[in-house]
Amino acid sequence: MAIAGKETPRERYRAQLRAEIKERAWEQIAAAGAPGLSLNAIAKQMGMSGPALYRYFASRDELITELIRDAYRSLADTIRTAAASGSDLAGLGRALRAWALDDPQRYFLIYGTPVPGYHAPDDITAIASEIMGALLDAAQLPAAPAAAGAQDTSLESHLAEHRQWAGDHPAPPAALRRALHFWTRLHGVLSLELAGHFTGMGFDPAELYDHELHHLAP
């Protein structure tokens, strides 16, 4: 039996194999997207049999879940660290872009086209809620006069009645609106940039992103 707090050689070996399997999975996703992920192909690359690999991940969906969990955890930690350092809503936006640019495939796995037939478990939804919670906290901070005056009371009224996406966060309707605009518009710019849709248009996507931040979080 392993001593509490210490891994046995078998446990270390298992952790190393799981980490290598995930690395191979990311390589496959980069080449063919998440729908093309194949455990048998990974097993062949690693010189293992299919059944042997299934001792580490019982199914493709289990492996995808682990990758998605890692991606969400990484982003949640990035946003939490930025918030703890005193970043305002604009600072969180810059942290989001830096995280996305660091590994576009990781970004697309959680914010790109859903994997057909895949359903994420509840714990992943909880991690995603941490990210939104940090944005809602920042969205409640006093805005500059220009932002404070640019209100959409009809949307705020709607969000006041349809706030399931915010969980149990007590943010008022104005903060809900601000966070939702922030989240959707920045992801729109990021998704287009990372997919290469700005290539050849002759402008710097960073300037467009900063312009959005200026209007969303002045």
Side-chain angles (χ1 to χ4, degrees):
M1 180 181 295
I3 300 174
K6 294 185 177 181
E7 290 183 325
T8 65
R10 177 187 289 271
E11 289 169 336
R12 287 196 298 272
Y13 179 74
R14 179 177 178 80
Q16 290 169 359
L17 260 293
R18 283 174 59 89
E20 184 176 351
I21 291 167
K22 288 195 287 185
E23 288 178 7
R24 301 283 186 172
W26 281 119
E27 292 171 1
Q28 279 196 10
I29 290 172
L37 187 63
S38 167
L39 267 66
N40 286 330
I42 293 173
K44 185 177 180 179
Q45 286 180 320
M46 296 177 63
M48 302 170 64
S49 67
L53 188 142
Y54 279 90
R55 291 201 295 267
Y56 299 94
F57 290 97
S59 67
R60 185 200 69 156
D61 281 3
E62 182 178 314
L63 177 54
I64 289 175
T65 293
E66 189 75 7
L67 298 177
I68 290 175
R69 183 180 289 117
D70 288 350
Y72 267 121
R73 183 74 271 158
S74 174
L75 179 55
D77 290 347
T78 296
I79 295 296
R80 185 183 66 248
T81 298
S85 70
S87 292
D88 57 9
L89 198 55
L92 298 187
R94 295 187 186 97
L96 168 63
R97 184 170 185 270
W99 179 89
L101 292 178
D102 182 62
D103 190 340
Q105 293 305 323
R106 180 178 57 181
Y107 174 88
F108 280 125
L109 183 63
I110 58 177
Y111 293 118
T113 303
V115 179
Y118 175 78
H119 300 284
D122 290 343
D123 72 296
I124 290 178
T125 302
I127 299 173
S129 296
E130 291 180 32
I131 300 168
M132 184 56 70
L135 296 180
L136 287 167
D137 287 343
Q140 294 183 94
L141 298 176
Q151 296 182 2
D152 184 339
T153 55
S154 63
L155 178 58
E156 289 182 12
S157 296
H158 177 77
L159 294 177
E161 299 297 327
H162 301 84
R163 53 184 301 143
Q164 296 92 330
W165 59 275
D168 58 1
H169 198 286
L176 295 178
R177 171 187 54 78
R178 194 176 182 209
L180 191 59
H181 277 158
F182 177 91
W183 196 235
T184 54
R185 286 170 60 176
L186 293 186
H187 274 302
V189 175
L190 272 177
S191 296
L192 289 170
E193 177 183 4
L194 295 176
H197 292 298
F198 295 143
T199 301
M201 294 182 70
F203 67 88
D204 184 355
E207 292 294 328
L208 175 61
Y209 194 87
D210 283 345
H211 182 78
E212 288 293 288
L213 277 179
H214 175 74
H215 286 277
L216 292 167

